[in-house]
Amino acid sequence: MSARENILGRLRRAPAGAPVPLPDVAAWFATTPVEDIATRATRFKANIEAAHAEVHETNAADWPSLLLEIAVQKGLGRLLVGHGTAQAEVLRSQPQHQLKLVSYEQPAATWRSELFENIDCALTAARSAIASTGSLILWPDASEPRLMSLVPPVHFVLLDAANIHADLHAAMTNERWAEAMPTNALVISGPSKTADIQQTLAYGAHGPRELIVLLCHRGAKSS
Amino acid sequence: MSQNQTVHFHPAEGFAERSRAAVNDAHLRRSFRGAMDFLQAKRLSQFPDADELSALRDLGKAIRLHALANLPDLLEQLEAKLQANGIQVHWAETPDQANAIVLDIAHRHDAKNMVKGKSMVSEEIGLNHAMEVAGIEALETDMGEYIVQLAGEAPSHIIMPAIHKTRQQIAELFAAKVPGVAYTDNVDELIRIGRDVLRKKFAAAEIGLSGVNFAVAETGTLYLVENEGNGRMCTSVPKVHIAVTGIEKVVAKLEHVALLNILLPRSATGQAVETYQNFISGPRKPDELDGPDEVHLILLDNGRTQAYADVQLRATLQCIRCGACMNHCPVYARIGGHAYGTTYPGPIGAIISPHLLGLEATYALATASSLCGACVEVCPVRIPITDILIRLRNEAQAASAGKLRGGGRARKPLQSSIWLVWSWIYGQPWLYRIVSWLMSRGRALAPSNQGAWTRSRTPLNPAPQRLRDLLRRPASG
C-alpha cells in the first residue's frame, strides 16, 4: 500500500460528521455597499499609503514624464522594463532622459547576478487593484516576469484607476480567476517589510524597499 | 548549524522544569509580555465591529468544516488539478517519508543549497536536520527564522519565531556569527545585513522550499502569504520549488481564500493584509523567463488522520495557524514557546501535538491551561480548544489506551484510586456530610507540605465551618 492509499483509506474510514453545506462566501461580500470608481480609487490610495507605498495621481499621457522625474529625484539609474510591452515602448520614445532602460528579454538564470546587483528599479503594469486592502494585482507573464516586482529595490507600478475592485473576492469573481489561473498571480500591498526584530517595523526586508504607484485616471488631466 | 528537536523528542518530560525556569527568567517574561500586549492590541484594532467579527468567524469555521467534511475527496481533486497544472504531488505518512521525498528530489538535481521560506511543517518534520545529515545546506530566509537558525535555536512562536529575543541579543548574534559585520543594534541596519547575506543565497540555491497557507482544490493553486518577500524568492528564483503542507490545509474553492484571508492576517499580527499574497498554480511555462522549472507539493499526514478519525478531535484540523490562541494565552505569555518543547506551542500546540508525537510524549501540555477560554474567544475558525484540552486530559488518564497513540499513559494508580474515592464520597450526600464534618474538625491535621501545591502557594486547609453550617446559621442584622 502506498502512503497515498494509506492516508486516503484512513480518512475514508473515519466516521462521517454532520454534513456541511458549501459556505455562501459570495453572500457575505454582497453585503458590502457598492461604491463608484472614484471612491474605490480614494480608498485604494489611502490604504496602500498606510502600508508605506507612494501613490502619484496622473493620467495616460503624463505618467512617463512623472516617472522620469521621480527616478531622477531618487537618483535611480537603471530601470528594468518588460519585453515588448506598451509601457516600455512609451518610455523608450520619451525625449532626453537619463534613465537607462534595461529590457527583461533573457531567462533569469542567464543574467541573475546582473538582475540582483545592477538594477535600481523596475516598471510593471498592474492588472487591477483592490480598494479594501490597498492592494495591486499582478499576473506576471513572459513579457513582465515575476522577478520584476520582487528583486529591484524600487518598484514602479502603472495602474488604471478604472480597474480597482472593492475587495479580493470581487477581483476574483469579476475577472473569473477560477476558470483559468495563471502560473503565478500576485496580490501586493506595499513594499517588502518585516517586524521580526522586537516588533519594530523595517522596510525592504527581501523585496523592494519602495513601492511607487502611478495611478492613471481617465478623462481630464489631473496634473 | 545546530538543530531543532528531532521527531522523537519527549516534551512531556521536563515540561514542568522548563516552565519553572521560564517563569523565573525576567528577560524572557518581559519579551513575551511586551509582544503579547502589542499583538493583542493590534488584533483588536483590526476588528472594531464585534458583530461583523462574529459573522466572519462563523464563515471561517464553515469553510474549514466544509473542507474537513470532504477532506479525502478534496485531496483527490487537489491532486488531480495540481497534476493537470504540471505540479508534482507526493504523499508522506511520516516525517521520515517526507524528508526522503525532499532528498530524492534534491539528489536528482544534484542540489547542495536550499533556501527556505517560513514553514512550520518543515520544522515539524525536522527537515533542516535531515538535509544537514545529507550534506545539503538548508538556510532559513525569513528574518525571524534566520535569526533563530543563526542562534542554533528553534522558533518560539509560529508567526514571530524570534519573539523571545531582544534587539540587543540579535545585534550581538549578528556581530558574532555574520562574517565582516560590526556590532549595530539599529533595526534597519540589522535587516539590511540579513537582506545582503540572503540575497546571495537566493541567487545561488538550486531548491526553494516553502510551506502552504491554503491549497485550493478547485483550481490546483498553492496560496502563500508573507510580508518580507523571502517566500516569493524561494518560490520563484531557484529552478525547483518544493512545498510541504499538512493534509488539512486544503479548501474547496478559490473564493474561500478571499474570506479566510480577512481573518488570517488580522488575527495573526493585527495587520489588514500581508504584503504578498502568492498564488502558485504551476511551474513556469516554456516562454516564461523566470519561475521554477519544477514545482512539487508534499502532503503530510504525521498523525493528522488520528485527529480526523475522532469527530470531536477533528476540529483541531480546522486551524489556519494564525497564532492568535498563543498571543492571548496567559500560560504561553508567561512561559514562552520553548517551554512546550514542541514545534507548535501554546493552546494549538497542546491540542495538535498529541497526534504528531503521541499522548505519552505530550500529555503534560494539555494540563498547561487554566481553561480560561481566551483562546476559544479569539480563534478565527472557532476551534473549541478548551473542550479538546479536557478530552485530551481524560484520554491521557484513561484506564485503557483508547484510540489515541499513548492514551492512558499519564494514569497513576494511587492518584486514580484517590479520585475514585473522591467521586464516590461526592456522589453520596450522607457520606459527604460525615466526611466534610470530619474534615472541618480535623483541619489542624492538614499537612503544611502539600507537594507541588505548596511550592508556590500557601497550604490548603479545610474551612472551620462547612458551607452547610454557614447557611443554616440565622442571617445576622
Side-chain angles (χ1 to χ4, degrees), chain B residues 169-200:
Chain B
Q169 288 174 322
I170 294 165
E172 283 161 21
L173 179 71
F174 275 32
K177 294 279 181 76
V178 183
V181 163
Y183 180 93
T184 171
D185 62 7
N186 177 301
V187 170
D188 287 323
E189 278 295 301
L190 290 168
I191 294 300
R192 194 192 50 75
I193 292 165
R195 175 185 172 105
D196 291 348
V197 170
L198 293 168
R199 283 215 146 202
K200 293 188 180 65

Side-chain angles (χ1 to χ4, degrees), chain B residues 56-198:
Chain B
L56 273 169
R57 293 171 70 213
D58 287 342
L59 258 181
K61 176 186 172 186
I63 290 170
R64 295 299 298 134
L65 279 180
H66 175 266
L68 293 176
N70 301 284
L71 190 56
D73 292 342
L74 287 177
L75 284 169
E76 285 188 312
Q77 185 190 355
L78 174 72
E79 179 185 49
K81 285 285 177 185
L82 288 170
Q83 287 170 343
N85 292 345
I87 295 177
Q88 301 175 48
V89 181
H90 312 263
W91 302 70
E93 289 182 85
T94 63
D96 287 348
Q97 283 179 12
N99 287 324
I101 293 164
V102 176
L103 274 179
D104 183 52
I105 298 167
H107 287 147
R108 271 197 281 119
H109 292 272
D110 215 6
K112 289 279 168 255
N113 301 286
M114 173 187 289
V115 283
K116 289 182 64 197
K118 193 161 166 29
S119 158
M120 290 311 294
V121 172
S122 81
E123 297 279 347
E124 175 188 330
I125 63 178
L127 179 115
N128 292 7
H129 179 67
M131 294 303 116
E132 191 184 348
V133 168
I136 295 169
E137 182 194 58
L139 188 70
E140 298 289 350
T141 65
D142 170 87
M143 288 294 179
E145 292 277 355
Y146 173 66
I147 290 164
V148 161
Q149 189 180 40
L150 212 53
E153 296 173 358
S156 57
H157 189 282
I158 64 169
I159 303 291
M160 310 193 88
I163 205 165
H164 58 289
K165 289 190 120 52
T166 62
R167 178 163 50 101
Q168 288 75 18
Q169 288 174 322
I170 294 165
E172 283 161 21
L173 179 71
F174 275 32
K177 294 279 181 76
V178 183
V181 163
Y183 180 93
T184 171
D185 62 7
N186 177 301
V187 170
D188 287 323
E189 278 295 301
L190 290 168
I191 294 300
R192 194 192 50 75
I193 292 165
R195 175 185 172 105
D196 291 348
V197 170
L198 293 168

